[in-house]
């Protein structure tokens, strides 16, 4: 098997990996903010429930979580899941896991803003939503960018965990080709793919940091 | 006419009683200096007046609006709508400025007039430029707070507070975070405001300044007003505690 055929075979998988990546970010970045609000809530039961959710998401393997999301509905609740569910399970699993990590990053960012910022806004008459959106959030984003970049880079590599439920993203395909053709080449191609992907992510995030460096 | 009147204010943080039955009123055009050792409750008094802290008992009135009133021995605050109007009465200048670091100087001054008071951008910017000129900072409109000295930042903060056209201004130790040379430029601005008959309450450690601009001086210690009167009480205190405090400052 020559390299071109192999890359062509892997191409579809790459597309799927990229899709998992962006759909996860699309879901987890905003969901993380909601989770962070829950975690900081003054309503004690809500706060504790969210704390428990975060602790489970961070304390158990993502691979296991993917399996629970995929097999759980049928084995636990006897809900039949169609063939389309495999992809949905991957996305749901990644989103609820990453939302927990993002939530803690957001919380750290929000709590690091000096309380004088809120007080200045309050005395000037800003509403609470306006204070959050125009005063707190922009300053928070700047502070959490490096930590968020870390998570975004880990996510690129974590997309390969979808192989646990046999979703045919890039890594699953590479493994299949490698064992059927007894060659390591697919793994080399996979490695290059993840590296280049992450290089681009790091590049884009660095640009974002530069754009926000107009103030201290 | 009284712009602010606080009656029998009580406030505790946990077990510690910080304000013990304090009453204070501020009439239009009056400059009040609040002095006293740290931990005397003067900053807390200011934070209660500006609604940053809630009082446990007593009443707070601004003009004809009741922000909080005494009911069954406890303070009861007015509705959010009323409190919003109350907040429009005053401005506050913080010890550590609290400018918004991600906004330019101009936007720091115009953002609230535009988005809170609903003024047009053109009008707000014109007024902001006038204010910045008065503060000697017209050429800094495009700068960010992090690029300014402490004294410049504090003058921007004063402009930001004035831009909302408050009936009165509070200053919470406005020069305590500044070097002596920067202190002078901020005090000059406050003095100019006093000459224009701006109503102000200033918590300060600058006795010379208090003597110079204040019409009324309040000495606080241990959560009570120990002594108050004209600026002459700084030089001729009648109470032993006031004397002890002023002596300590001179040393």
């Amino acid at each position: 098997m020559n390299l071109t055929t192999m890359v062509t075979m892997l191409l579809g998988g790459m597309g799927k990996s990229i899709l998992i990546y962006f759909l996860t970010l699309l879901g987890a970045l905003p969901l993380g903010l909601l989770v962070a609000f829950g975690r900081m809530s003054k309503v004690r039961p809500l706060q504790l429930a969210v704390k428990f959710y975060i602790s489970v998401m961070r304390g158990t393997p993502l691979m296991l979580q993917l399996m629970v999301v995929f097999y759980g509905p049928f084995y636990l609740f006897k809900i039949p899941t169609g063939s389309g569910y495999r992809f949905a399970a991957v996305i749901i699993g990644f989103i609820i896991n990453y939302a927990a990590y993002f939530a803690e990053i957001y919380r750290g960012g929000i709590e690091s803003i000096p309380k004088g910022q809120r007080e200045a806004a309050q005395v000037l008459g800003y509403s609470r939503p306006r204070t959050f959106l125009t005063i707190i959030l922009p300053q928070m984003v700047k502070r959490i960018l490096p930590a968020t970049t870390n998570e975004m880079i880990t996510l690129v590599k974590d997309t390969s965990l979808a192989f646990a439920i046999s979703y045919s993203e890039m890594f699953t395909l590479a493994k299949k080709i490698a064992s059927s053709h007894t060659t390591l080449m697919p793994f080399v191609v996979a490695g290059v793919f993840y590296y280049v992907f992450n290089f681009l992510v790091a590049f884009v995030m660095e640009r974002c940091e530069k754009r926000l460096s107009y103030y201290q | 006419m009284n712009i602010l009147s606080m009656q029998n204010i009580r406030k505790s943080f946990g077990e510690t009683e910080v304000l013990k039955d304090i009453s204070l009123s501020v009439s239009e055009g009056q400059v009040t200096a609040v002095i006293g050792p740290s931990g005397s409750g003067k900053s807390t008094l200011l934070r209660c007046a500006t609604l940053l802290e809630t009082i446990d008992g007593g009443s707070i009135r601004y003009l004809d609006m009741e922000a909080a009133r005494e009911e069954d021995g406890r303070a009861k605050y007015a509705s959010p709508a009323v409190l919003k109007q109350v907040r429009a009465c005053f401005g506050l200048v913080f010890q550590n400025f609290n400018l918004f670091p991600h906004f330019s100087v101009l936007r720091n001054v115009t953002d609230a007039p535009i988005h809170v008071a609903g003024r047009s951008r053109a009008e707000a910017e014109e007024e902001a430029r006038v204010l910045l000129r008065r503060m000697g900072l017209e050429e800094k409109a495009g700068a960010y707070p992090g690029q300014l000295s402490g004294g410049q930042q504090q003058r921007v903060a004063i402009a930001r507070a004035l831009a909302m056209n408050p009936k009165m201004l509070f200053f919470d130790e406005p020069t305590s975070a500044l070097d002596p040379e920067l202190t002078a430029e901020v005090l000059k601005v406050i003095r100019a405001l006093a000459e224009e008959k701006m109503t102000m309450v200033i918590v300060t450690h600058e006795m010379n300044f208090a003597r110079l601009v204040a019409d009324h001086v309040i000495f606080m210690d241990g959560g009570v007003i120990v002594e108050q009167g004209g600026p002459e009480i700084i030089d001729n205190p009648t109470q032993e505690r006031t004397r002890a405090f002023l002596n300590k400052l001179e040393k």
Side-chain angles (χ1 to χ4, degrees):
Chain A
M1 185 187 220
N2 66 28
L3 195 64
T4 331
T5 2
M6 190 191 307
V7 172
T8 327
M9 283 177 74
L10 288 174
L11 223 47
M14 290 183 194
K16 285 175 179 166
S17 294
I18 294 171
L19 190 64
I20 296 174
Y21 183 77
F22 285 105
L23 285 179
T24 302
L25 286 186
L26 204 65
L29 286 170
L31 181 63
L33 197 57
L34 281 182
V35 176
F37 286 144
R39 178 69 182 74
M40 293 184 291
S41 167
K42 288 194 185 81
V43 183
R44 196 88 177 122
L46 176 65
Q47 192 208 93
L48 287 177
V50 172
K51 212 169 160 180
F52 178 69
Y53 155 74
I54 292 173
S55 132
V56 170
M57 287 299 138
R58 295 201 302 186
T60 59
L62 175 51
M63 199 190 286
L64 180 77
Q65 292 165 18
L66 287 174
M67 287 177 168
V68 170
V69 172
F70 183 53
Y71 298 113
F74 183 73
Y75 286 99
L76 297 176
F77 307 108
K78 300 281 176 250
I79 302 166
T81 47
S83 58
Y85 183 61
R86 195 182 299 275
F87 177 65
V90 169
I91 300 302
I92 294 170
F94 274 108
I95 287 179
I96 59 172
N97 178 277
Y98 269 79
Y101 284 94
F102 286 136
E104 287 295 90
I105 294 177
Y106 294 156
R107 183 170 69 92
I110 290 170
E111 288 176 354
S112 77
I113 308 294
K115 78 176 195 312
Q117 291 289 306
R118 257 177 226 281
E119 291 183 350
Q122 187 186 324
V123 170
L124 286 166
Y126 288 81
S127 67
R128 287 181 59 146
R130 185 159 193 98
T131 303
F132 182 75
L133 289 175
T134 68
I135 307 296
I136 307 297
L137 191 66
Q139 295 187 61
M140 172 199 102
V141 168
K142 181 184 163 96
R143 288 177 189 218
I144 65 166
L145 225 44
T148 309
T149 305
N150 256 345
E151 289 305 319
M152 288 169 75
I153 282 173
T154 306
L155 176 59
V156 169
K157 295 173 287 183
D158 274 357
T159 56
S160 64
L161 289 174
F163 93 90
I165 53 174
S166 310
Y167 180 68
S168 55
E169 47 67 62
M170 224 242 342
F171 192 71
T172 312
L173 288 182
K175 237 180 108 214
K176 231 179 243 167
I177 300 170
S179 57
S180 61
H181 290 78
T182 53
T183 164
L184 273 182
M185 258 335 262
F187 290 134
V188 175
V189 176
V192 170
F193 166 76
Y194 290 121
Y195 183 77
V196 171
F197 194 168
N198 265 332
F199 189 84
L200 291 174
V201 170
F203 176 77
V204 169
M205 293 306 284
E206 205 183 310
R207 289 288 293 264
C208 292
E209 273 186 53
K210 279 221 178 85
R211 280 197 66 168
L212 286 176
S213 65
Y214 68 90
Y215 73 93
Q216 288 163 356
Chain B
M1 185 180 60
N2 278 350
I3 292 189
L4 165 66
S5 124
M6 297 172 90
Q7 297 292 329
N8 311 104
I9 305 295
R10 295 187 311 281
K11 169 77 183 170
S12 300
F13 289 115
E15 295 289 290
T16 331
E17 209 177 359
V18 198
L19 299 177
K20 303 168 187 165
D21 201 35
I22 290 221
S23 297
L24 157 100
S25 56
V26 177
S27 60
E28 196 171 357
Q30 193 185 43
V31 177
T32 306
V34 184
I35 60 174
S38 20
S40 58
K42 53 195 194 314
S43 278
T44 305
L45 179 67
L46 206 83
R47 290 174 60 83
C48 289
T50 51
L51 309 179
L52 289 175
E53 300 283 355
T54 51
I55 54 172
D56 300 329
S59 65
I60 304 175
R61 292 184 69 89
Y62 280 92
L63 298 166
D64 54 352
M65 286 175 290
E66 201 160 47
R69 69 188 148 92
E70 178 98 19
E71 214 179 80
D72 308 323
R74 293 203 58 81
K76 190 176 182 298
Y77 277 86
S79 68
V82 173
L83 292 182
K84 198 178 165 192
Q85 282 181 294
V86 167
R87 281 197 184 93
C89 288
F90 58 80
L92 169 62
V93 175
F94 296 85
Q95 181 175 346
N96 46 3
F97 333 131
N98 290 335
L99 291 175
F100 303 131
H102 56 309
F103 287 176
S104 68
V105 164
L106 187 68
R107 186 156 176 211
N108 262 285
V109 182
T110 58
D111 201 67
I114 294 170
H115 297 292
V116 176
R119 268 176 254 161
S120 76
R121 180 172 300 274
E123 187 193 335
E125 287 189 355
E126 201 184 310
E127 278 178 44
R129 286 185 196 283
V130 172
L131 281 168
L132 288 173
R133 195 172 310 132
R134 268 171 67 192
M135 300 294 146
L137 291 168
E138 62 221 285
E139 75 289 1
K140 297 289 184 193
Y144 285 87
Q147 300 167 322
L148 305 181
S149 73
Q152 290 171 329
Q153 289 191 53
Q154 194 59 300
R155 284 181 283 150
V156 174
I158 295 172
R160 178 175 71 174
L162 286 171
M164 291 300 278
N165 296 325
K167 294 270 184 295
M168 68 176 295
L169 272 187
F170 291 95
F171 292 82
D172 187 8
E173 301 190 22
T175 60
S176 292
L178 300 176
D179 297 338
E181 65 218 276
L182 301 178
T183 298
E185 63 187 49
V186 171
L187 294 184
K188 208 175 112 188
V189 166
I190 300 175
R191 206 177 154 187
L193 289 173
E195 273 156 21
E196 291 165 30
K197 290 288 157 215
M198 183 79 203
T199 312
M200 295 186 281
V201 173
I202 309 169
V203 172
T204 184
H205 289 299
E206 303 281 337
M207 290 309 138
N208 287 328
F209 175 69
R211 198 182 280 123
L212 215 59
V213 296
D215 307 303
H216 191 73
V217 175
I218 292 175
F219 173 70
M220 277 182 73
D221 194 13
V224 294
I225 294 177
V226 175
E227 181 169 1
Q228 57 181 319
E232 67 279 356
I233 69 163
I234 296 175
D235 296 311
N236 302 299
T238 61
Q239 300 294 314
E240 187 47 47
R241 272 199 279 178
T242 319
R243 213 169 292 143
F245 169 70
L246 291 168
N247 278 341
K248 216 183 271 171
L249 273 195
E250 267 168 38
K251 276 175 199 159

